[in-house]
């Protein structure tokens, strides 16, 4: 299988390297030529446009940032759909709204192309170690066909259902992470009010039954959300907003988890 990869950032870059170093014929494209320089020591080829990349690929993986970026790369002038042949597959690793991948899947189907949504969790270190979590939505036969590519950088690869299911799972994961940030910060603040040093309390809880990834990030950030807000605040706000909209459309009640996530976003805007 020939693989194209677009989105060579801190997470996508290690993913692409794992694929090409596993022996797959690979083509890369990036808006900025300097993004391609780290792959000069690999067998990867480069393309001038997403369409040129797609013409040389059976599977195109996208790891760009936002819904608009995904749409532009797939359907824009000289986009992936302009070059991918019938029978080709697009895997969207970006975290976007489920409706975005469903709409793109409809457009791609008219060209004989399949789309799966496959958002990831675990960061660049997870990709480099081959331990990313991939949450997949799409046709079972297509998912199984491309699973070996995903397994070059991921373990586990979880197929959740039809197109869009991977995005829903990723958004819910990010909702709970956001909620846990608020409970972690306020717990450390409460401990300080009760005379327990926040750093020491953080050390205790990270070795106890209440430990969480969110708490670890708060402790690493000195007990505040300042660092997380700077690097991930807008993305978390986007994801929480998507979940709130999905829940409202479905008539579902997200309950305390959305309340806690909103508290985190408030803390990021108005830190203690």
């Amino acid at each position: 299988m020939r693989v194209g990869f677009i989105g060579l950032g801190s997470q996508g870059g290690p993913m692409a390297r794992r694929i090409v170093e596993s022996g797959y014929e690979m083509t890369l494209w990036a808006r900025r030529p300097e993004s391609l320089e780290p792959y000069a020591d690999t067998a990867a080829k480069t393309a001038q446009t997403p369409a040129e990349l797609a013409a040389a690929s059976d599977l195109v993986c996208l790891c760009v940032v936002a819904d608009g970026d995904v749409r532009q790369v797939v359907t824009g002038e000289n986009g992936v759909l302009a070059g991918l042949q019938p029978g080709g597959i697009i895997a969207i690793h970006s975290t976007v709204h489920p409706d975005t991948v469903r709409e793109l899947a409809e457009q791609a189907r008219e060209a004989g192309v399949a789309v799966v949504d496959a958002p990831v969790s675990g960061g660049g270190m997870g990709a480099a170690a081959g331990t990313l979590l991939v949450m997949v939505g799409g046709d079972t036969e297509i998912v199984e066909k491309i699973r070996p590519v995903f397994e070059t950088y991921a373990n586990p690869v979880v197929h959740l259902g039809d197109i869009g299911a991977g995005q829903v799972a990723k958004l819910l994961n990010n909702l709970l992470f956001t909620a846990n940030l608020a409970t972690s910060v306020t717990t450390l603040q409460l401990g300080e009010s009760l005379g327990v040093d926040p750093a020491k309390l953080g050390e205790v809880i990270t070795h106890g039954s209440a430990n969480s990834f969110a708490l670890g990030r708060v402790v690493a950030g000195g007990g505040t959300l300042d660092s997380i807000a700077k690097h991930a605040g807008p993305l978390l706000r986007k994801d929480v907003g998507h979940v709130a909209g999905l829940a409202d459309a479905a008539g579902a009640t997200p309950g305390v988890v959305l309340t806690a996530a909103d508290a985190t976003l408030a803390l990021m805007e108005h830190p203690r």
Side-chain angles (χ1 to χ4, degrees):
M1 181 175 289
R2 302 171 302 162
V3 183
F5 204 101
I6 298 173
L8 302 171
S10 60
Q11 187 156 251
M15 292 165 67
R17 180 170 287 275
R18 292 280 301 197
I19 296 170
V20 68
E21 291 182 349
S22 295
Y24 285 92
E25 181 180 338
M26 170 167 277
T27 305
L28 305 174
W29 176 81
R31 286 189 174 92
R32 295 178 294 108
E34 56 267 31
S35 297
L36 299 170
E37 293 173 2
Y39 306 93
D41 64 336
T42 74
K45 298 175 290 185
T46 61
Q48 296 301 308
T49 65
E52 182 182 316
L53 174 146
S57 305
D58 304 303
L59 166 66
V60 176
C61 298
L62 306 180
C63 199
V64 295
V65 176
D67 295 62
D69 299 317
V70 173
R71 292 182 186 277
Q72 178 62 35
V73 168
V74 174
T75 65
E77 184 178 1
N78 289 318
V80 170
L81 282 182
L84 198 58
Q85 297 300 304
I89 304 167
I90 300 172
I92 300 175
H93 291 300
S94 313
T95 301
V96 295
H97 196 286
D99 287 348
T100 296
V101 294
R102 292 177 185 130
E103 291 165 12
L104 289 174
E106 285 294 326
Q107 291 178 262
R109 190 174 295 115
E110 297 175 2
V113 170
V115 172
V116 300
D117 59 306
V120 298
S121 181
M125 292 180 62
T131 59
L132 275 185
L133 163 64
V134 180
M135 297 150 270
V136 191
D139 179 80
T140 299
E141 183 178 347
I142 298 297
V143 172
E144 292 309 310
K145 184 176 182 179
I146 62 178
R147 182 183 289 270
V149 176
F150 290 171
E151 289 179 341
T152 64
Y153 51 80
N155 184 19
V157 177
V158 183
H159 184 200
L160 290 138
D162 293 336
I163 187 77
Q167 298 295 342
V168 172
K170 177 62 185 294
L171 291 172
L172 290 171
N173 175 82
N174 287 4
L175 173 68
L176 184 56
F177 170 70
T178 306
N180 287 343
L181 289 172
T183 57
S184 297
V185 168
T186 54
T187 297
L188 297 181
Q189 291 174 348
L190 177 60
E192 184 177 24
S193 298
L194 298 176
V196 179
D197 178 77
K200 293 294 185 181
L201 179 59
E203 180 181 358
V204 168
I205 299 177
T206 55
H207 288 85
S209 59
N211 187 32
S212 69
F213 180 75
L215 175 67
R217 303 316 304 153
V218 171
V219 171
T224 75
L225 296 177
D226 294 349
S227 177
I228 298 170
K230 179 180 179 181
H231 294 101
L235 294 176
L236 294 177
R237 183 174 302 283
K238 171 192 68 114
D239 292 348
V240 170
H242 282 339
V243 174
L246 289 169
D248 185 61
T253 304
V256 296
V257 65
L258 184 57
T259 301
D262 285 340
T264 294
L265 299 177
L267 285 171
M268 287 181 174
E269 287 186 358
H270 306 288
R272 176 180 168 181

